[in-house]
Structure formats: C-alpha cells, structure tokens
Amino acid sequence: MSFLSPIFLLGLPLVAIPIGIHLLNRRQQKVLNWGAMQFLAPASTRRRRLWKMSDLLLLLLRILAILFIVGALSRPLLPVTWLGHSGPRSVVLVIDPSLSMGANEEGEILFDRMLDKMDGLLEELSPSDTLQVIIAGDNPVWMQELPVEANPSEIRRIRSQIRQLEPTLGGANLTAAIHRVLDTPEDKEKMIRIINVLSDGQSVGWAMNDATPWAEINRLVEAQERPTLINLDFVDQAVSEQANLSVDELRTVRTVTAINQPVTVEALVHNRGTKATAASVLHWYSEDESLGISSIPPLAPGSLMTVSVTHTFDATGHFDLWCEIDIRDVLDEDNEAHLIFTITDSLPVLIVDGSSQADPLNTDVGYLLASLGFQEEGSGASPMWQSGFLPKLVSTSELAQETLESYRCIILANPHRLSRSVSDKLQSYVQNGGGLWVSLGDAITPSEFNETWYRDGVGLSPLPLITTIGDPDNREAFKHLQPPNESHPATQLLADLQRLDIDRVQVFRRHQFDELQALETSVLLRIDHGDALAVEQGIGRGRAIFLATPLGLTWSNFPVCQSYVAMVHEWIWYLAAPSFPRHNLALGEAILLDASMTAAQGELSIQLPNDTTLDINRQENSPKQVFRFTKTQEPGTYTVTSAANGQTSPFVVIRDPDESTLAKLDAAALSKISQMPGFQIGGRNLSVPSDLELEIPTTPIANSLLVTLLALVVGELVLAAWCTYQRNPKIAAVTMEG
C-alpha cells in the first residue's frame, strides 16, 4: 500500500481519544437507593453485560471513524489485486479482413473461424480490462478511436460490429497495424497491454523481407513503460495443398479511346495455389453483354498464361469490361477482374505549324495531318476510316490567341522560338493535365530551345540540347532506332516488330540531348548507338514529349514507315489521357469526376464495394465545381450516381494480385518472429505468462473510505442514542389510589 498524502498519517494518535473516553466512563459509578436489592441484582448484572458490549462497540466505531478520517485524508493506494480483481489489461484485437481470409476450406470460410476465435477472446475479458479493435487492411483503421471498458454491454456492441465485417478484395498490412497500436499512448492504469492478432498467417502482409518496419516495431516495444505482449493467433488450415486460379490483372494499351475503335484486352491468369488446376474457361463481358469465352488449359502451380479479347465500343461513355473464370476453387473472389473504358466521340487536337509554307501537305505537318484523317474544308471527300481525332491547324503566331483548355493535346511541329508569355501558357496547360508534343526541326537552335523549353531545369523539357548532328542531304549516312520499351504505354505497340517496322526507320539529322543533366529521364526512343531521340517529362498532372526530329521527311524516313501512324495515334492518346478522369485506380488514389457529372444539378451519391451508399458533396472550386473522393482504401467497384438525371460513373480500385498467394509464414519466419521482444505465437490468447514480472497498478480508495466513514458515523450516533435511552429511561410517575 502507498499513500498520496502520507502527512495525514500523523493523525493516527487521535485514536487514543475514544479509548480515553471509554476508560473514563468505566470509572463513573451510580448509587441506586432501592428497597428490594435482592430482586435488582440479577437484572443489574445482565444490564451491565449489555452496556459493556455496547461500550466496546462504541469504542470500536469511534476508533474506526478516526482511522477512516486519517486514511481518507492520506489518500491511500491499494494494488488492484487486493480488492479481488484480476490484473487490469489493455487488450487490442487486430482483425485481418484480407482477401485470403475468404478462402473456403472444406466448406468453411477462414474468416468465420476467425470470428469464433474472437468470441473466445471476448469471453476472457473482465470488467477491469479495456478493449480496442483495429481493422488491419492495406491502411489499418481503428474500429473505435478510444478504448472502451470491457463490460458486458460494450462487449456485445463490439462483437456485433465485428460480426458485420466480411473479407474484402484487399490485403492486410499487419506490420503497419501492430506499429499503429504500439504508437498509441499506453494506459498506465493497466498492468499490461496485450495485442492479439487474428489472421490466417499468410506471408503477404508481414513484410518479412523488409527489415525497416520490424526494426521500428522492436524499438516501440522496448520503449513501452508497461509490458507488451503481441500474440499471433493464426487460424488453422486443414488443407495443405490447394489450387487457386486468379485473374491477376487486365492489360490494355489504353483505357481512353474513340468510339468504334477496336481495343484489345489481355487477362493474366495465374495458378497461385500449390497444386495443379483443372481445365477451365474464361468468360468475357462488357457490362452485362457477353463477349465470348477463352479456354484455360490445366496449369501447374505457379504457372501463368495470357488470354485476350478484342472489342469495339459503339457508344460513348464509361464501360466496365470484365472477365470471370468459370471454376470453383479455394478462393473464388479473385476469379474475376474489371477494367473501366472511357469512350469519346472525338479527341480535339491543336496542331501548331512552324513552317512558313502555305500548303500544309507540302510541310512536315502534312504527314501528321494525313495520319489523323485530316481533310480540307469543302473538299467533299469522305474519310476512309474514323480516326477519332478532331485536329485544328494554326500558325505559331495564332497560338497566343487560342484557348488551350479546349484541346486534349497540343502538337508543335518544327516550332520557332516562342515568347515567354506563350511558353508560360503552355507550361500552365501541361501542369493542369494537358498533353504537349514538341517535334523539333530547323526552325530553332539548341540555345533558343534551352532558353524557351529547358529553362535551366525548370522548363517543360527534361533535357537541354547540345548540338545538331547529321546531314539531311546525305541519305547514305543514317542511324536506325533501337526497339523501344514494350512495357511503356506510349511505345508498347511500337515495340511489336512483327507487326510494325520501327526498325526500318532511318534518321539522317537530329538534335542531340544532353543526357548527363538528368540521369533518370524517361526516354521513349533511342538511336542505335544509344543517344536519346524522344524524351518525356511529367509536369503537374500532364505530360510533355520532345522529339529531336521533324514529323516530315526532311530529317528521317519515319513518315513512310508503317510505324509512323501508330506512333502518332499512340502518343496523342497517351498525352491526352491525364486530361480525362482516371477510372482505374490504385489503392488510395482519389476519385475525380468528369465535367458532365460535376455540372449536373442535384445530389451525388457513391456506392462502395461493400454496397454501402454515401451521400457526397461537391467542393466549390472556381470556376467550376469539383468532386474528390479519397476513401478508396478497399479494392473493388465504386459507382457515383447523380440524383438529378440518374447518370452513373463507375470507378475500379485495382486489387493487389499477390493477395491471392495463399502461402503461409514458413518455420523460419515464425521462428524469427517468436524471438522478437514481446512476440508469442498462438495458444495463450489473453493469458499472462507466469514468469513475466508485472508492476501491479494501484487504485485510490479515499472515496470508498469516506463512504464507509459516513456509515460509521451514522452507526455510532444511532448506537450512542440507543445506549443513552437504555441507561436513562424515562419512567412515568406512579400514583397511589385508594
């Protein structure tokens, strides 16, 4: 026992006061004059015994009253175990709702097994404990911000909330969840903090190959003032070998295209299980329309394959193209994947011609216009195909008067040196999501380029120019192009040398970039000895590409190669993509609505992957309304609906395909974790190891002493009044009548 105000213990000698009163009362003797003493003696003896007992009881009550007064003033602290309670614990449950928890093993879902374990843990709690629950998704979040007392009503409420959870399509960042718990302030009134992790033990999410989060966890455990136990309570799995087919992702060159333009989508099918799969089929859909099927042969563990479909959208809008494997395996939720396509009727493109010639078809721009299906007004000719582009041709001098925001992409063909105001205007356009393509020719010198476009590293060009190399009149001296990067969306199609002929391109003259100024520059095209021919840079939300040759035949034979049209189309779509709202998002990436949705009057609502619907408000940003939704921490489909016209806009948050890998933490990983401070692997639940030295917390009892003191004072007053009445009875006068 300890005291907060031990100075008041000096009042303990006051206990002698009631003892002294008691002893003095014993010395007082009353003389009773009465005739028949022989009849009084037995009754007097009985009364004196009763008085003696009441006097002792009064003495005890008065001593206790003084002791309780002194005790209350000294504010004693008692170990909680002295009061008959178990040691109070701060308990945190870490719930794993990841995709793998939805695995079906012998007719039972792993998540349901986890819920049964959770019920057992809740039964172990006592009223002196506190409870808190954290959901360990890709971004862990608290189910309730503050700990609650583990009384029956709170336990019922939390159990009901956990029972409403279901496995998601996402992962579980368990190291981040543990870190977040350890980083919260300790409850110093509790003798221990127990963190119980309920998971399936899947290796994904534990970051065993990354020492940084584990080092931080160890640091936090050692910094705790109270002992901390981290118990990993894994759901047992009955099946050792499993087959699990997964559609890891859908791939396409671009998700923004024009109406009636064919798009090809590839599905990456992967056997992420531990045994071979049977033959199956993959069904393709656009919204609810079936597009056909693809055969999937038996796949060995770890094997993958790609299947594809080609589809043409005949209307504008946003369309969900998705696929699903027709098979039942241990994890059904990863058998499908979705991709949202944005289809537009035409793409406005502004072409700025730096040539001084009047006829555009006789300049470098002529080949560009032909590749875009350009026709002179009033010609009466019908296009041979619908390219999806709506080009507008202006001169360099007319550029300053154009409203750039009206165009998805701007192409400067052989530009002259621009004024600072025009170059600033272009830079602002790119930063706000526009696409810019600058094709250099003889109209500008390296020094003029560096002053206009490079600006000592803060301009639109990622690299400066050094010099100009080659003779356009010597067609015998040329450089070929290296095969471009097949993984980059702007060059993926160009890298297909079986279909296109970019390897036949001959460059006679070019501007030379100084690549030493930025070693991490994104290079789209290189000539055969390694120099960069086309470079790109992201500025704000937009992109800019700089090509070191003109778009005509003056410096290369590019326009007469098949790859020229493909390059023009792919680069324009690539540059225009940031100006469209993204509908295929990474985890946590914000949803931005397009102008048609934000311009509609009325309320907006968004349906989440768990079917919850939220009402949402626009953010007023002049000159137009903008909507941003950032709570995209769960993979799946999000659908925004306008109450005014019923228009919908779908968005897909792509899941992590590694979550389909059901491999568990191996023996080496479990051994490594169990050797870390505070960690233990299963079996103990919320019990405290007997060999763990704990500092038993204390609790103040001053209030209890004051309440007891009040009861003692009342009891002493009642007993004293009763004793006084018994010893000094009021006897009515006796009258003799005769």
Side-chain angles (χ1 to χ4, degrees), residues 474-530:
N474 183 8
R475 298 284 166 155
E476 299 299 325
F478 57 83
K479 297 292 184 182
H480 282 295
L481 295 185
Q482 292 182 358
N485 185 357
E486 61 182 9
S487 63
H488 195 289
T491 56
Q492 181 178 355
L493 184 59
L494 298 177
D496 187 353
L497 300 182
Q498 294 182 351
R499 298 168 57 190
L500 297 176
D501 58 354
I502 198 169
D503 55 332
R504 293 181 54 236
V505 172
Q506 299 174 358
V507 178
F508 313 113
R509 183 172 172 83
R510 59 186 170 83
H511 291 287
Q512 184 180 19
F513 290 107
D514 185 2
E515 294 189 66
L516 297 179
Q517 298 299 319
L519 300 179
E520 300 298 326
T521 302
S522 175
V523 178
L524 301 182
L525 295 177
R526 290 185 183 274
I527 59 176
D528 53 12
H529 72 277

Side-chain angles (χ1 to χ4, degrees), residues 23 221 282 315 408 518 634 641 696 734 738:
L23 295 177
V221 170
L282 182 77
R408 299 286 186 175
E634 181 179 334
T641 303
I696 306 299
V734 179

Side-chain angles (χ1 to χ4, degrees), residues 348-616:
V349 180
L350 179 64
I351 301 175
V352 182
D353 185 9
S355 172
S356 59
Q357 298 188 32
D359 184 4
L361 293 179
N362 291 327
T363 67
D364 292 341
V365 186
Y367 296 95
L368 174 63
L369 293 172
S371 68
L372 298 179
F374 175 80
Q375 295 177 355
E376 295 184 79
E377 294 184 6
S379 64
S382 59
M384 296 180 61
W385 85 98
Q386 186 175 355
S387 67
F389 301 106
L390 186 62
K392 179 181 179 180
L393 183 65
V394 299
S395 65
T396 304
S397 60
E398 296 172 323
L399 177 60
Q401 286 73 44
E402 286 290 332
T403 303
L404 303 186
E405 289 71 20
S406 302
Y407 304 95
R408 299 286 186 175
C409 180
I410 299 175
I411 302 176
L412 272 66
N414 195 11
H416 296 271
R417 179 178 179 180
L418 302 178
S419 67
R420 187 59 178 257
S421 61
V422 173
S423 62
D424 287 344
K425 185 178 179 180
L426 288 170
Q427 186 147 351
S428 176
Y429 166 78
V430 175
Q431 288 177 337
N432 291 327
L436 177 66
W437 179 359
V438 180
S439 181
L440 304 174
D442 56 8
I444 195 169
T445 65
S447 61
E448 292 173 338
F449 174 89
N450 296 339
E451 182 179 350
T452 301
W453 300 105
Y454 182 61
R455 294 187 183 182
D456 294 325
V458 297
L460 287 171
S461 174
L463 297 174
L465 292 182
I466 303 175
T467 185
T468 306
I469 302 175
D471 182 1
D473 296 326
N474 183 8
R475 298 284 166 155
E476 299 299 325
F478 57 83
K479 297 292 184 182
H480 282 295
L481 295 185
Q482 292 182 358
N485 185 357
E486 61 182 9
S487 63
H488 195 289
T491 56
Q492 181 178 355
L493 184 59
L494 298 177
D496 187 353
L497 300 182
Q498 294 182 351
R499 298 168 57 190
L500 297 176
D501 58 354
I502 198 169
D503 55 332
R504 293 181 54 236
V505 172
Q506 299 174 358
V507 178
F508 313 113
R509 183 172 172 83
R510 59 186 170 83
H511 291 287
Q512 184 180 19
F513 290 107
D514 185 2
E515 294 189 66
L516 297 179
Q517 298 299 319
L519 300 179
E520 300 298 326
T521 302
S522 175
V523 178
L524 301 182
L525 295 177
R526 290 185 183 274
I527 59 176
D528 53 12
H529 72 277
D531 280 358
L533 189 69
V535 297
E536 71 160 328
Q537 178 171 229
I539 303 291
R541 292 177 44 233
R543 301 162 176 163
I545 292 178
F546 290 83
L547 180 63
T549 61
L551 292 171
L553 288 171
T554 54
W555 288 17
S556 73
N557 70 337
F558 215 148
V560 297
C561 295
Q562 295 176 340
S563 54
Y564 181 82
V565 174
M567 180 190 71
V568 170
H569 287 204
E570 295 303 309
W571 285 14
I572 291 178
W573 284 113
Y574 173 71
L575 291 170
S579 64
F580 291 89
R582 285 174 54 85
H583 287 259
N584 302 283
L585 309 173
L587 197 69
E589 186 176 355
I591 292 175
L592 299 176
L593 288 183
D594 56 20
S596 61
M597 292 290 289
T598 57
Q601 299 299 317
E603 296 298 326
L604 297 175
S605 63
I606 183 168
Q607 185 176 11
L608 307 183
N610 58 8
D611 293 332
T612 301
T613 300
L614 302 177
D615 292 329
I616 53 181

Side-chain angles (χ1 to χ4, degrees), residues 243-264:
N244 181 41
L245 273 183
S246 166
V247 182
D248 281 0
E249 62 176 320
L250 295 182
R251 299 173 176 173
T252 188
V253 175
R254 58 177 180 268
T255 57
V256 179
T257 190
I259 190 172
N260 294 324
Q261 295 295 306
V263 295
T264 299

